[in-house]
Amino acid sequence: MNNTPLLSIGIIFKNEARCLERCLKSLQPLRDALPCELIMADTGATDGSREIAAKYADILFDFPWINDFAAARNAVMDRSSGEWYMTIDCDEWIDSNIQGFVTFLTTYRDFDFASVIVRNYFTEEYENGSSYSDFLATRLLRMSTGLRYEGSIHEHWCFEGNFRTMMISNAVFHHDGYMFQDSAKMKEKQERNMALLREQLRESPDDLVILTQCIESSEKSWEQEDYLRRALGGVAEGWSQWELFGAPIYRYAIRLAIRDNLAELEKWIQEAEERFPDSIFTRVETAYFAFGVAWNKDDYTEAIRWGEKYLQGVDDYHAGKFDRSDLLASSLDKTDAHSRLSVATVLASGYLHEKQPEKCLHLMETFDGREMNAKEAGDSVRNLCDLHRHFDVDVAPLLLRLWEEINEPKPSQERADQRRSGFFQTGEGMFKRDFISAESSNENFIHYAYTTFLPLKGKCILGDAAAMLETEDPAVLEEMLGGVTELEKLPVQALYHAMERGVPFPPAGRPLKIEQMDLLARRMGQDKGSLLALMLDHKLSADSRQGIIWSRGLALAAVSAFDWKGSGRGLELARTWAAAEQAFLPLCYAPDALQEENLNVLPPMHRFGWYLIRAFEALDEGNASGYIRLLREGLNVCEDVKDMVEFLTEHTPELQPPEPSAELAALAEQVRMVLSQFSPDDPSVAALKQSEAYQKVAYLIEGIAVDFHHMPQ
């Protein structure tokens, strides 16, 4: 330790074993660069923190906790001998770039205080994509001022007067303590803080500093709205320091209004812009929230205005083009890369709504796919597709760059996988048949959206699918399909396209597992109309084991997706499924298992398939009653097909009575007239029903119905 330190670094700690050593290690480059001393006060550690502190501290002492932060920090200052004093918390660490500290402490002699940015992280990526908020904290004091800390909570140096302060450029204290507080500890801390703040507010009810602290400490509490309204009133009345605290107070009010759907939301947005147009809080946070409010109202003009204001505000913040003293009042959120991208990707869509493709393209050129999350990657894909399909814009360079960037494992492979998932999920929607059909009817149609992905052929499954949809030659399609390595990710419309043009599937020489085929068939079943048309209008190859298994999977998917309570080609589909089952069952089950008495070894749908095969055989032989009996027996072994059995009974032509002749219709009407003259239990009615005339027209009078509700289960 240098005998005459330039800088004394003070720390108070209790149980901070999680983060204390990280903090102390981060200080070492500064201690190596300048004459420093490290003074640490133990306020009651029991988790090994003291042992960690002992490895680094020049002075280590005990300070029994008396529920007063200022007292603890002043005890550290009392033992300091440096020209300057700096305080840091255990869950903070200084940035590796210490040049700003070195330059300030060795160059600037005319200042009494210095402030640094404290960056509060909310996710663990820290400097590589985390969400965070910044505030300006006065952390360095020239000891000759004689000042000490004030305030048992939110302790601070009171520097009213002629003291001079400066913000140290590029000086950042990183902080992650908010992430590691469990709910019980957070509630305990909130209650402790609020008890102290309420007491201070009773003594100084018109103090905007204390009211702002109350607003911050009462978040999610019923008290917060009251504190906010009192603070807004104080700003309107011009209480002390209203110019400094007004903009962040309005920011908090707008947050609360959005959360609780307060009627004053738009009024407060307007007042914030009118009263504090130049504040970084208005230009960043208020603009961020106002953008969302306008967007949700489909007011794209206003959303664009606020979105552009927000992006400029963030850029100015990072360039230091703002009044640094603004951050002395409160922390500033929404300056991180994630927040910026979330607005920018939506703003790009806003430009498209307002037919400003050049602005959309220019904005998207500033994006970095490595900073994106899954949603932002998906939004970017959607914007590129919209640019491509509605405007004559070459998006290929941007698409290729985006694909390369989202696949880089930054900040982690997990994040890259999430981005790729968002890319695929949005991109796959451009391949759906209904979407493609609707595109050409749009008045601004230029290109199909899926063709956006053509530059990714050979790089991405969406590029391969786009190339397949643009190809008509079956031989070329067969070669392309055979080269697809991720069939489970292939947009199903590409597979439909190939199969509808006669390309055999599965590809020759490339056997698939049955579970792979079933998964692919279920995906194809999500497009019910296309699957039904494929099954009934195109001859599927079933001349191999793979072909038989695939046909069975497609048929089962189509049966599961079909609306059996409606109408349509259900009878054709049922026959197609029966044919697929007839080929599949003997291929995969021993003959003994396919005996009626042994069917319980089959899955339920295959049991019903066995009965369905025989039901159609009976029907084709002219045995309608046998057809109904076999359908009923099949229903007994598989209850899931009840709607299908009802459909077949109601729509099978052989079960429907013939159209009566005019003579039969007249006879039926005569019989009805006779029956209407007697009560149903009259003996004459029973005698009439035994007559030859009644038997000829009984089906016209009584109808034919199958009561499935009373079938044996």
Side-chain angles (χ1 to χ4, degrees):
M1 181 187 72
N2 191 299
N3 291 330
T4 56
L6 175 62
L7 177 66
S8 296
I9 304 171
I11 298 176
I12 64 173
F13 70 93
K14 190 177 180 182
N15 292 326
E16 302 286 357
R18 176 190 71 83
C19 53
L20 181 57
E21 191 149 27
R22 178 187 61 189
C23 171
L24 298 176
K25 284 183 176 180
S26 77
L27 295 171
Q28 197 58 51
L30 186 58
R31 297 178 70 184
D32 292 339
L34 297 171
C36 295
E37 64 176 357
L38 176 60
I39 303 140
M40 302 183 67
D42 180 356
T43 64
T46 59
D47 68 343
S49 296
R50 187 181 184 86
E51 289 72 19
I52 296 172
K55 295 189 297 182
Y56 295 87
D58 297 306
I59 300 174
L60 175 61
F61 67 97
D62 294 314
F63 183 83
W65 182 245
I66 56 173
N67 206 31
D68 189 325
F69 282 94
R73 295 204 188 275
N74 286 333
V76 175
M77 286 191 71
D78 290 341
R79 291 165 171 78
S80 301
S81 56
E83 180 180 347
W84 284 88
Y85 177 82
M86 183 177 83
T87 184
I88 187 169
D89 291 336
C90 301
D91 53 5
E92 298 172 340
W93 67 100
I94 67 171
D95 194 82
S96 58
N97 180 6
I98 63 167
Q99 189 55 48
F101 291 102
V102 174
T103 300
F104 174 78
L105 291 167
T106 58
T107 305
Y108 295 96
R109 298 293 182 181
D110 298 328
F111 290 90
D112 304 292
F113 298 92
S115 301
V116 301
I117 291 292
V118 177
R119 181 157 292 164
N120 297 309
Y121 292 103
F122 305 118
T123 55
E124 291 189 64
E125 288 87 0
Y126 299 130
E127 294 119 294
N128 295 310
S130 175
S131 295
Y132 60 79
S133 68
D134 285 354
F135 74 95
L136 192 62
T138 303
R139 291 298 186 91
L140 283 87
L141 168 72
R142 187 183 292 278
M143 293 287 286
S144 61
T145 62
L147 295 178
R148 291 295 183 264
Y149 282 98
E150 299 178 9
S152 57
I153 184 173
H154 297 300
E155 66 283 6
H156 59 280
W157 293 309
C158 184
F159 46 90
E160 294 181 358
N162 296 320
F163 296 114
R164 298 188 64 196
T165 184
M166 173 181 176
M167 176 181 173
I168 302 177
S169 299
N170 301 318
V172 178
F173 280 21
H174 304 283
H175 171 249
D176 69 353
Y178 295 143
M179 286 191 295
F180 297 97
Q181 293 181 356
D182 61 42
S183 57
K185 286 185 177 179
M186 290 178 68
K187 184 176 181 181
E188 179 184 350
K189 181 178 180 180
Q190 183 184 42
E191 291 174 349
R192 180 199 68 192
N193 290 354
M194 286 308 303
L196 295 170
L197 287 168
R198 289 188 198 102
E199 182 62 31
Q200 292 182 21
L201 194 59
R202 275 192 290 270
E203 296 175 2
S204 305
D206 298 339
D207 191 323
L208 285 176
V209 177
I210 300 173
L211 268 172
T212 301
Q213 292 172 357
C214 288
I215 292 167
E216 294 169 345
S217 295
S218 63
E219 189 171 6
K220 298 181 181 180
S221 165
W222 62 269
E223 296 175 278
Q224 189 181 39
E225 184 176 345
D226 177 60
Y227 294 132
L228 272 165
R229 292 186 182 278
R230 290 170 62 181
L232 287 171
V235 173
E237 294 174 16
W239 290 358
S240 175
Q241 300 191 74
W242 71 272
E243 300 97 331
L244 177 62
F245 286 91
I249 287 170
Y250 267 103
R251 174 273 317 268
Y252 279 126
I254 292 165
R255 281 190 195 175
L256 182 72
I258 292 172
R259 189 191 75 189
D260 293 350
N261 196 27
L262 300 181
E264 295 92 340
L265 172 59
E266 294 189 43
K267 171 178 175 288
W268 287 341
I269 290 174
Q270 181 180 351
E271 289 178 358
E273 186 176 27
E274 290 175 351
R275 294 180 179 179
F276 307 99
D278 298 325
S279 169
I280 196 64
F281 288 97
T282 303
R283 296 163 58 201
V284 173
E285 284 203 68
T286 293
Y288 177 93
F289 295 121
F291 170 77
V293 170
W295 184 265
N296 290 335
K297 292 172 57 181
D298 296 334
D299 186 346
Y300 301 118
T301 300
E302 186 69 356
I304 288 173
R305 185 178 77 83
W306 278 112
E308 291 176 344
K309 182 186 286 286
Y310 165 80
L311 294 182
Q312 187 61 57
V314 172
D315 290 346
D316 287 349
Y317 174 76
H318 289 295
K321 298 177 181 179
F322 67 101
D323 186 342
R324 312 294 179 86
S325 65
D326 284 353
L327 294 185
L328 290 170
S330 184
S331 61
L332 178 69
D333 288 354
K334 309 305 180 185
T335 63
D336 57 278
H338 167 69
S339 297
R340 188 187 190 284
L341 265 172
S342 69
V343 170
T345 51
V346 177
L347 177 59
S349 179
Y351 286 139
L352 295 179
H353 274 286
E354 296 299 291
K355 296 181 172 53
Q356 300 176 29
E358 297 81 7
K359 284 190 173 183
C360 176
L361 188 66
H362 176 71
L363 179 58
M364 293 193 68
E365 287 172 347
T366 68
F367 295 175
D368 186 341
R370 295 166 295 189
E371 296 177 340
M372 293 180 178
N373 59 22
K375 182 181 183 304
E376 292 153 2
D379 287 346
S380 296
V381 169
R382 182 178 295 105
N383 288 335
L384 288 174
C385 288
D386 286 345
L387 271 169
H388 175 70
R389 68 193 181 111
H390 293 315
F391 303 97
D392 190 17
V393 175
D394 181 13
V395 300
L398 270 180
L399 179 71
L400 289 166
R401 194 187 83 191
L402 177 67
W403 175 249
E404 295 298 326
E405 289 177 348
I406 67 170
N407 280 285
E408 288 192 37
K410 294 181 179 180
S412 64
Q413 185 60 51
E414 180 182 9
R415 178 65 69 85
D417 292 341
Q418 291 170 354
R419 290 193 294 256
R420 192 162 51 247
S421 176
F423 184 99
F424 279 125
Q425 185 174 0
T426 301
E428 190 174 17
M430 310 299 167
F431 289 82
K432 292 183 177 179
R433 184 162 298 195
D434 289 346
F435 184 85
I436 293 173
S437 298
E439 281 187 288
S440 57
S441 62
N442 190 295
E443 62 179 10
N444 297 318
F445 173 77
I446 296 178
H447 307 289
Y448 286 113
Y450 73 79
T451 61
T452 307
F453 299 96
L454 285 171
L456 292 180
K457 179 186 176 184
K459 298 175 180 290
C460 165
I461 194 69
L462 297 183
D464 297 336
M468 290 176 64
L469 286 175
E470 291 293 288
T471 302
E472 296 295 328
D473 188 324
V476 177
L477 276 169
E478 183 173 1
E479 182 181 357
M480 295 171 72
L481 185 59
V484 174
T485 58
E486 296 180 296
L487 281 170
E488 70 281 1
K489 294 182 179 179
L490 181 70
V492 293
Q493 290 308 324
L495 186 54
Y496 273 128
H497 179 74
M499 294 181 67
E500 288 166 354
R501 279 146 188 79
V503 175
F505 190 84
R510 185 180 172 187
L512 299 179
K513 296 177 182 178
I514 189 171
E515 58 267 26
Q516 290 177 292
M517 288 191 269
D518 285 351
L519 177 61
L520 193 53
R522 285 195 296 272
R523 288 181 59 217
M524 295 181 73
Q526 294 172 4
D527 186 343
K528 301 176 184 180
S530 296
L531 181 56
L532 184 64
L534 179 69
M535 295 299 301
L536 303 182
D537 298 335
H538 298 273
K539 180 176 175 55
L540 300 182
S541 174
D543 55 0
S544 66
R545 178 182 295 267
Q546 285 274 291
I548 290 171
I549 295 173
W550 174 238
S551 295
R552 160 260 175 200
L554 281 180
L556 188 57
V559 165
S560 300
F562 189 76
D563 179 14
W564 294 104
K565 288 187 175 296
S567 59
R569 304 173 70 182
L571 183 60
E572 294 177 73
L573 177 59
R575 282 190 175 275
T576 301
W577 182 35
E581 288 286 293
Q582 193 163 23
F584 174 80
L585 290 176
L587 182 70
C588 296
Y589 293 97
D592 287 349
L594 300 180
Q595 299 301 313
E596 188 169 9
E597 61 272 17
N598 298 327
L599 291 181
N600 60 338
V601 303
L602 273 62
M605 288 297 282
H606 288 319
R607 292 180 215 157
F608 178 76
W610 187 92
Y611 280 103
L612 186 64
I613 294 166
R614 280 143 190 82
F616 280 121
E617 290 174 347
L619 185 66
D620 293 341
E621 293 171 358
N623 185 359
S625 61
Y627 174 71
I628 293 176
R629 177 183 58 79
L630 286 162
L631 288 178
R632 288 181 175 182
E633 291 178 1
L635 181 58
N636 286 338
V637 300
C638 183
E639 297 179 1
D640 291 342
V641 296
K642 180 175 180 294
D643 291 342
M644 180 182 179
V645 171
E646 287 184 351
F647 179 94
L648 293 177
T649 304
E650 294 170 2
H651 294 84
T652 300
E654 291 85 343
L655 301 185
Q656 311 308 315
E659 188 70 25
S661 65
E663 292 179 357
L664 279 178
L667 178 59
E669 185 60 28
Q670 291 176 6
V671 173
R672 287 193 190 95
M673 291 289 294
V674 173
L675 287 174
S676 67
Q677 300 175 23
F678 300 93
S679 70
D681 55 357
D682 191 297
S684 299
V685 172
L688 178 60
K689 288 186 176 181
Q690 297 300 317
S691 68
E692 181 179 353
Y694 184 87
Q695 294 300 317
K696 288 182 179 180
V697 295
Y699 74 95
L700 296 176
I701 296 172
E702 298 179 7
I704 296 177
V706 180
D707 185 359
F708 289 93
H709 297 287
H710 295 91
M711 282 187 175
Q713 299 298 312

